[in-house]
Amino acid sequence: MAKDYYKIPVLLGEKNFKDYIRFDVLTRQKKQKKPIRLFFAFYMAATLCFALQDTVEVAFVFGAIFVVAAVFIPTNFFRTLTNTINEQTKKMKLSPPREVYTIHLSSRSNGISYDYPEDKKIAGEYTWKDALGAWKTKTAIYLYVNDTQTLLIPMNNPNLDYDGIWTFIKSNLPG
């Protein structure tokens, strides 16, 4: 029989948080597309310049510049992303993993809420109709409750029914 309420204590560690940021930036937002497109554009420009180096005097120089740009742009993107992930993870102080909040899901229209372990009062409450969506990976469920907030549900508690939680979330989301 399906449940109509879930209480999910969220134990979050560095790996869970890093996985979430990578998922959000690379899978959901696909922010790597622009640097990769620029890589191919500069690579093609460099190839053209090297092909024309016998007929155009400065073609080799421009080709070399385009190669450097082709390598620098995506490398810089991924280096910056890695540094940002490490900085944000360090700020969160998630080593060792700790309980960061408890999520409460119910079938009510405003059935998404969470509280902090030390407060035990509702810290945030959201409606199902305003939720942006949910994604499930091998290790977590990400419930995007609005443009600026995501509730992470790492699948690291053997006592929870994550398939049931996922089915419940999907059945309550609009559309």
Side-chain angles (χ1 to χ4, degrees):
M1 185 164 141
K3 289 176 67 173
D4 66 347
Y5 174 79
Y6 285 93
K7 179 180 179 180
I8 309 159
V10 175
L11 183 69
L12 195 60
E14 285 185 355
K15 182 176 179 343
N16 304 117
F17 189 67
K18 287 179 179 183
D19 288 347
Y20 160 69
I21 295 175
R22 284 187 199 102
F23 170 84
D24 189 57
V25 170
L26 301 176
T27 304
R28 190 179 78 89
Q29 296 182 42
K30 300 186 185 321
K31 287 195 172 187
Q32 76 280 13
K33 282 187 172 185
K34 187 174 182 180
I36 291 172
R37 283 189 200 122
L38 285 170
F39 165 80
F40 284 113
F42 283 127
Y43 179 79
M44 295 304 293
T47 302
L48 180 63
C49 286
F50 290 139
L52 295 174
Q53 71 182 355
D54 291 336
T55 56
V56 179
E57 196 172 309
V58 293
F60 182 82
V61 172
F62 280 114
I65 292 169
F66 287 139
V67 165
V68 169
V71 171
F72 176 76
I73 289 173
T75 302
N76 189 53
F77 170 79
F78 286 105
R79 182 185 55 78
T80 303
L81 175 63
T82 301
N83 288 342
T84 301
I85 288 171
N86 290 335
E87 286 173 17
Q88 287 182 348
T89 304
K90 195 175 191 177
K91 284 180 190 175
M92 294 284 293
K93 298 178 184 170
L94 297 172
S95 182
R98 63 183 173 86
E99 185 176 342
V100 290
Y101 49 80
T102 300
I103 299 172
H104 305 272
L105 302 175
S106 74
S107 298
R108 297 183 337 242
S109 63
N110 62 337
I112 306 168
S113 65
Y114 70 95
D115 59 47
Y116 296 113
E118 60 275 0
D119 293 339
K120 294 299 180 196
K121 63 180 181 181
I122 293 176
E125 190 171 42
Y126 307 95
T127 63
W128 285 107
K129 69 177 179 65
D130 292 334
L132 297 179
W135 284 261
K136 183 179 179 186
T137 67
K138 292 177 185 175
T139 59
I141 296 171
Y142 306 123
L143 176 56
Y144 287 80
V145 292
N146 60 35
D147 287 337
T148 60
Q149 191 159 15
T150 307
L151 297 176
L152 282 64
I153 306 171
M155 293 186 218
N156 55 9
N157 185 338
N159 299 322
L160 291 176
D161 173 20
Y162 292 106
D163 290 330
I165 292 169
W166 176 245
T167 301
F168 181 80
I169 290 171
K170 293 304 283 179
S171 69
N172 281 284
L173 286 173

